Amino acid sequence: MRSPHNLRRALVAALAALAALLPGPAAQAAPPGIPDADTARTQLDALTVAPQAGMSGYSRDKFPHWITRDGCTTRQTVLKRDGTDVATGANCRVESGSWESPYDGTTVTSPSRVDIDHTVPLAEAWRSGAAEWTTPRRQDFANDLDHPQLLAASASSNRSKGDQDPADWQPAAAFHCEYARMWISVKHTWELTVDEDERAALDEMLGTC
């Protein structure tokens, strides 16, 4: 017969395994660190306006992702954060849930059809200052969970966006205000530059707030 101590340990382990299979909490309203409109305007004014550099030397491999922290990859963490009724299995694998893509307003119910978008694309960051960074700094940028740099989006909208800045691609109109504030915050936090057309587009999008 098992001792009470061993029974207690077995019960705790069983409950932990069950919890991993249960749906997670509903999505938070937004990624962390999105400034209000007034703060975003101040940050936009503080950004250095400069022509974009070229793509010479660029590779996504120079921005290592997705890294693993606390047993979950960055992608898995964002899927759990941004989804509703998210269920996970072994090794933090996301098995089911529902994700509303703010870029196009669609709802995705298969994790494999969800992309984790970099608000400021890696190539855009390269053209606006990241080419001069060390690889560890680029890794931190590509896996930034502390600022509004990562967002679950439909694969179709993410691929439509590509590496374009707001002068060339914008999400659905209902998301313009939030997207501009996210973009500005990331560029300000990571001390990246903006070009003139990009700045004008961001200023216009802030006008919808």
Side-chain angles (χ1 to χ4, degrees):
M1 178 178 289
R2 289 186 180 182
S3 69
H5 177 70
N6 287 339
L7 285 172
R8 190 179 307 113
R9 290 179 62 185
L11 178 60
V12 169
L15 289 174
L18 177 62
L21 297 174
L22 292 174
Q28 64 180 56
I34 302 176
D36 60 33
D38 288 342
T39 301
R41 286 192 179 279
T42 299
Q43 292 177 345
L44 179 61
D45 289 343
L47 293 177
T48 298
V49 179
Q52 287 195 338
M55 292 292 289
S56 177
Y58 170 74
S59 167
R60 287 179 66 86
D61 291 341
K62 294 184 178 180
F63 294 80
H65 64 289
W66 306 109
I67 63 173
T68 299
R69 292 179 181 147
D70 300 323
C72 298
T73 67
T74 306
R75 171 180 167 80
Q76 291 167 335
T77 299
V78 177
L79 284 173
K80 292 196 298 178
R81 185 196 72 190
D82 289 0
T84 301
D85 296 330
V86 176
T88 58
N91 299 318
C92 206
R93 177 182 173 83
V94 177
E95 298 185 341
S96 64
S98 176
W99 293 265
E100 183 177 349
S101 172
Y103 288 169
D104 54 8
T106 63
T107 299
V108 184
T109 56
S110 171
S112 65
R113 295 180 179 273
V114 180
D115 279 2
I116 305 305
D117 179 57
H118 291 96
T119 300
V120 174
L122 305 182
E124 165 64 21
W126 182 268
R127 294 189 295 261
S128 54
E132 305 302 320
W133 295 350
T134 63
T135 298
R137 181 167 173 80
R138 287 194 287 264
Q139 175 177 287
D140 289 343
F141 176 80
N143 296 275
D144 185 3
L145 292 167
D146 298 320
H147 305 96
Q149 165 63 347
L150 298 172
L151 182 72
S154 66
S156 58
S157 66
N158 184 40
R159 291 162 198 182
S160 171
K161 172 184 172 179
D163 67 353
Q164 300 175 92
D165 71 32
D168 298 310
W169 184 92
Q170 297 177 5
F175 198 60
H176 278 190
C177 172
E178 192 163 355
Y179 186 70
R181 290 183 286 135
M182 291 170 60
W183 184 284
I184 292 166
S185 175
V186 172
K187 286 238 166 167
H188 184 266
T189 297
W190 290 92
E191 299 180 337
L192 296 168
T193 63
V194 291
D195 64 38
E196 291 184 357
D197 290 344
E198 176 188 355
R199 191 194 184 289
L202 289 165
D203 184 63
E204 182 176 349
M205 292 171 77
L206 281 179
T208 68
C209 295

